[in-house]
Structure formats: structure tokens, C-alpha cells
Amino acid sequence: MTSSSTQARPAAEFPGRSVPSLQRPPAPGVLFACRTFAWRTLIKLKYVQDHLGTAVVFPVILTLVFTYLLGGAIAGTPGNYLQFFLPGVIVLSLVASSMMSALTLNRDIATGMFDRVRSTPIWQPAVLVGTMGGDVLRYALTSVVPLALGLLLGFRPDGGFAGVVLALLYLQLFTFSVSWLWMFFAVLIPQPTAAAGVVNLLQFILLFGSNILAPSQTMPGWLEAVVKLNPVTHAATTTRGLMHGDLSGGDLTAGLLACAALIVVFATPTALLYNRKQR
């Protein structure tokens, strides 16, 4: 009786206590929600070794292995090959790094984290937008590490500082575009193991079916035609042209069209599949 009568007393009888408001707090805004998921992505650089390893260790190993083991056989000397290969290895590292957030989203959906987010009063696409926005810093790190190593090894971009900056900016756009491809399969395939298998297979085809490792002109005619259809080929050609200052208008147009095609083909279906999972 004492307990129930105490709970029934009005708040005025307890002047020293604050009575919590029954008014519902306002829902977080779009910018706040996107910033939260972007920060969640950045935190993983510190606590998830796969993300940091893909951003830092992987590009260093690729640069050293291909330059000194294959460079002499392909271009005569490692130094000559480095001039051709370094812009390509940056593209390779970024494409490999871009799938990490997609696989993380797939695991979130499979483990129930997605259901918890879906029950909150936030702008639901913030999960996709914020995650991809937070990847910008990781992509920048993945770009700068092999570039710095290449400069130490003797890489000299003929396009100068401006050409390198433009190339890195273009790579941010291309990596954002190709991320929609991985996001599409991350949302489409429910099992994490199956999603990882499909994404890794497609990544292998895109990377090694391109002109990253060798010029497409040295390939058989049928293979050269296939390689030229690969968006990664256009990204590597655009990056090389910007860094060395010899980019043609046609190559720049092809590089930008490759980005636009990836966004148009995969962004809308990914958003539709993601929204369907919320019903």
C-alpha cells in the first residue's frame, strides 16, 4: 500500500525530483543518421583488422610483388613497369577495398543488425549512404599508400601534382560507383558465405580481365575486345592518363561513362531491394 500510494502522488509532492517528460524525442535528421553510419564505418578501421589490412598492407604487397617479380618480364625493367603499373595497382587496391562495406552490410542483414536499425525512426537509406560516405577516408588511404611507395621506388608522374590530384579525385568517383555493384549482391543474396563467394568471383574477373597488369594491345584480338568492355579498364586508362598528362578526350569520356553506367545500372535496383527488405 505504501509503495502504490507513493507512486500515485502528484509530482508537486516531490519538489526535489525531476519528472521525465512523456513527449517523444524528435527523430534524428537525415544528416545525423548518415553521419552516424559513416562514423561506424570509420571506427572499423581501428577495430576490424580486415579493413585496415585491405587499405594499407594489401596495396604495399601488390606493388612490391608485381613490380619486382613480373616487372622485368613484362616491361624489361622493374622501373619501366612501375611507370605503367602503379596507377593500375591503385585501381586494383580500391576495387578490392570497395567490397568490404558491402560484405559488412550483408552480415548485418544476416545477423539481425539490420532488423534493429529498421525498427528505429531514422531515414533508412542512411545505412547505405552513410556507409559509403564513411568509406571515402578509407579509399583515400588506400590510394595514398601505394602512391607514396611508388614515389619512393622511382615512380614519376609526368602530369605533375595536378594530374595526380585529379587522378585521385576520379578514383573516388569510380570507387563510389563500383561500390553499388557489391552493394547490389550484398542486399540480393541473404547468405554471407554465398555473397562473399559471388563478390570475390566478380572482383577476380573485373581485376584480372582488365589492362591493370599489362597493356590490352599485347593481348589476342578477342581478349582485347572483351577487356575494353570492362569498366575497370577504363578506370585504369583514365588514371594513367591523368597521372602522366596524356589523357585523351575519348578516354576521359569513357572513364566517366563507366562510372555513370555502374551507378545507373546498380544504384536503383539496390535501393529497391533494400527498401523491400523493410516491409
Side-chain angles (χ1 to χ4, degrees), residues 20-26:
S21 174
L22 299 179
Q23 184 180 2
R24 176 178 296 181

Short mmCIF file of all heavy atoms in Angstrom, two decimals, residues 20-26:
data_model
loop_
_atom_site.label_atom_id
_atom_site.label_comp_id
_atom_site.label_asym_id
_atom_site.label_seq_id
_atom_site.Cartn_x
_atom_site.Cartn_y
_atom_site.Cartn_z
N PRO A 20 10.37 12.84 -15.65
CA PRO A 20 10.70 12.77 -17.08
C PRO A 20 9.50 13.13 -17.94
O PRO A 20 8.36 12.82 -17.62
CB PRO A 20 11.10 11.31 -17.27
CG PRO A 20 10.45 10.58 -16.15
CD PRO A 20 10.43 11.53 -14.99
N SER A 21 9.78 13.82 -19.03
CA SER A 21 8.73 14.21 -19.94
C SER A 21 8.21 13.01 -20.71
O SER A 21 8.98 12.11 -21.08
CB SER A 21 9.25 15.27 -20.92
OG SER A 21 8.28 15.56 -21.89
N LEU A 22 6.92 12.99 -20.96
CA LEU A 22 6.32 11.91 -21.73
C LEU A 22 6.33 12.21 -23.22
O LEU A 22 5.87 11.39 -24.01
CB LEU A 22 4.88 11.68 -21.25
CG LEU A 22 4.73 11.26 -19.79
CD1 LEU A 22 3.25 11.09 -19.45
CD2 LEU A 22 5.50 9.99 -19.51
N GLN A 23 6.85 13.36 -23.60
CA GLN A 23 6.89 13.71 -25.00
C GLN A 23 7.98 12.94 -25.73
O GLN A 23 9.11 12.84 -25.26
CB GLN A 23 7.13 15.22 -25.17
CG GLN A 23 7.07 15.68 -26.61
CD GLN A 23 7.32 17.17 -26.73
OE1 GLN A 23 7.55 17.83 -25.71
NE2 GLN A 23 7.25 17.71 -27.93
N ARG A 24 7.65 12.38 -26.87
CA ARG A 24 8.61 11.60 -27.64
C ARG A 24 9.70 12.52 -28.19
O ARG A 24 9.40 13.57 -28.77
CB ARG A 24 7.91 10.88 -28.78
CG ARG A 24 8.87 10.10 -29.70
CD ARG A 24 8.11 9.36 -30.78
NE ARG A 24 7.24 8.35 -30.20
CZ ARG A 24 6.47 7.54 -30.94
NH1 ARG A 24 6.46 7.67 -32.25
NH2 ARG A 24 5.69 6.64 -30.36
N PRO A 25 10.98 12.14 -28.06
CA PRO A 25 12.05 12.98 -28.61
C PRO A 25 11.97 13.01 -30.12
O PRO A 25 11.48 12.07 -30.75
CB PRO A 25 13.33 12.28 -28.12
CG PRO A 25 12.92 10.87 -27.86
CD PRO A 25 11.49 10.94 -27.38
N PRO A 26 12.44 14.08 -30.73
CA PRO A 26 12.38 14.18 -32.19
C PRO A 26 13.25 13.13 -32.87
O PRO A 26 14.30 12.73 -32.34
CB PRO A 26 12.89 15.59 -32.47
CG PRO A 26 13.74 15.93 -31.28
CD PRO A 26 13.08 15.24 -30.12
#
